[in-house]
Amino acid sequence: MTKDITKVTPYNSEATKKSQVEDMFDNIAPKYDLLNHVLSMKIDVLWRNTLVKMMKKDNPQEVLDVATGTGDLAITIEKGTNAKVIGLDLSQQMLNVGVIKIKKLKLDGKISMQKGDAENLPFEDNRFDAVSVAFGVRNFENLPKGLAELRRVVKDNKSVYILEFSKVEGFLGPFYMFYFKNILPAIGRLVSKDNRAYTYLPDSVNAFPFGEKMKQILLDTGFKKVEYKKLSLGIATIYKATK
């Protein structure tokens, strides 16, 4: 039986999921970029580029990137669309890494980073031309509330773009799950020194709704149209939800 995603937490402690997620990302922030690229064999770069190509058709002027982390997607969006980007994240340590990266690229005039909660966004209704979240919605403590907030701040007839892990189906599924549940956490523990962070990753992916289920959740949130694109045999999926 699949676990409720809200019950899957990084440290299985008494603290709220939100608090545990913030602690986890604060802990792994210094090694996050290195691990991300190594564990995904840099396929994550292609995934972000695909999302930005889809977003570019909307010709956005101002974009909100939620769960921005160290800013990889925010940077890709700015470079691909020339939009002004606000990156928002729960983890101050992740943002600190992102700010350094953005300054090195001389993009601090175009990308701003701020600490904030995806489920209580500090922005007015109908503000952004596009909203994005890469590998962040799994970590929402309250998924419907978080998705409703993303919908609230995007303009009418504009879209929210969600890049998230899904499950590889078919004959490659068992091989991928073996890597995901055994090899990936071992490398993550070795490099990040956080015993739970990279065990939480496969646990949370396993519990997260994907494909048609996620499409239905987005429609139930009030989006008028939802389409999705599987990437790399279904390892990840991009959802485009239009308000």
Side-chain angles (χ1 to χ4, degrees):
M1 186 176 165
T2 305
K3 270 189 179 179
D4 176 359
I5 185 63
T6 61
K7 302 290 191 295
V8 179
T9 59
Y11 300 118
N12 300 322
S13 72
E14 293 301 309
T16 63
K17 177 171 181 174
K18 195 174 293 181
S19 174
Q20 291 183 55
V21 165
E22 182 178 356
D23 287 347
M24 177 185 74
F25 282 112
D26 278 347
N27 289 342
I28 65 175
K31 302 287 186 182
Y32 180 79
D33 283 342
L34 169 69
L35 273 167
N36 227 14
H37 297 321
V38 168
L39 294 173
S40 70
M41 293 171 280
K42 285 211 168 183
I43 298 171
D44 61 313
V45 175
L46 296 176
W47 296 341
R48 279 190 286 274
N49 286 338
T50 302
L51 185 153
V52 172
K53 277 180 191 168
M54 292 169 68
M55 184 187 286
K56 191 175 182 181
K57 293 172 186 173
D58 294 349
N59 191 29
Q61 303 304 301
E62 187 178 36
V63 179
L64 173 65
D65 183 42
V66 174
T68 195
T70 63
D72 276 351
L73 182 55
I75 291 163
T76 309
I77 289 168
E78 194 285 325
K79 287 183 172 178
T81 66
N82 204 33
K84 182 183 174 188
V85 185
I86 297 174
L88 179 135
D89 203 274
L90 259 184
S91 166
Q92 187 61 53
Q93 297 305 318
M94 294 283 277
L95 290 168
N96 292 346
V97 175
V99 165
I100 292 166
K101 244 184 345 193
I102 288 161
K103 279 184 177 169
K104 277 184 183 171
L105 293 166
K106 296 185 169 54
L107 292 175
D108 38 329
K110 295 284 298 208
I111 303 172
S112 60
M113 303 285 263
Q114 70 181 77
K115 185 170 164 49
D117 179 359
E119 292 163 39
N120 296 284
L121 292 172
F123 306 107
E124 64 272 24
D125 297 356
N126 307 303
R127 168 161 171 185
F128 296 97
D129 301 304
V131 175
S132 60
V133 191
F135 311 114
V137 291
R138 271 180 305 110
N139 302 323
F140 288 179
E141 189 169 82
N142 183 326
L143 181 60
K145 188 179 180 189
L147 295 176
E149 275 291 271
L150 303 180
R151 181 183 176 278
R152 179 182 68 77
V153 299
V154 77
K155 291 176 181 174
D156 286 340
N157 300 310
K158 298 297 185 180
S159 301
V160 171
Y161 293 85
I162 296 169
L163 170 58
E164 191 51 87
F165 287 114
S166 41
K167 290 182 196 167
V168 178
E169 297 175 301
F171 76 98
L172 284 173
F175 298 103
Y176 180 70
M177 280 314 294
F178 179 81
Y179 166 76
F180 214 46
K181 286 188 80 72
N182 298 285
I183 297 168
L184 182 148
I187 298 170
R189 278 194 295 273
L190 195 67
V191 178
S192 75
K193 309 296 187 220
D194 188 306
N195 286 332
R196 269 294 296 167
Y198 289 88
T199 307
Y200 165 73
L201 176 59
D203 288 351
S204 61
V205 171
N206 218 26
F208 194 75
F210 67 98
E212 287 297 311
K213 284 185 180 175
M214 184 60 176
K215 178 179 177 179
Q216 191 56 54
I217 289 168
L218 288 161
L219 289 169
D220 291 345
T221 304
F223 290 99
K224 66 180 182 183
K225 182 185 176 189
V226 179
E227 51 198 295
Y228 63 92
K229 180 185 180 70
K230 290 183 181 181
L231 306 168
S232 306
L233 302 173
I235 296 173
T237 303
I238 296 172
Y239 303 88
K240 179 185 178 185
T242 304
K243 182 170 171 179

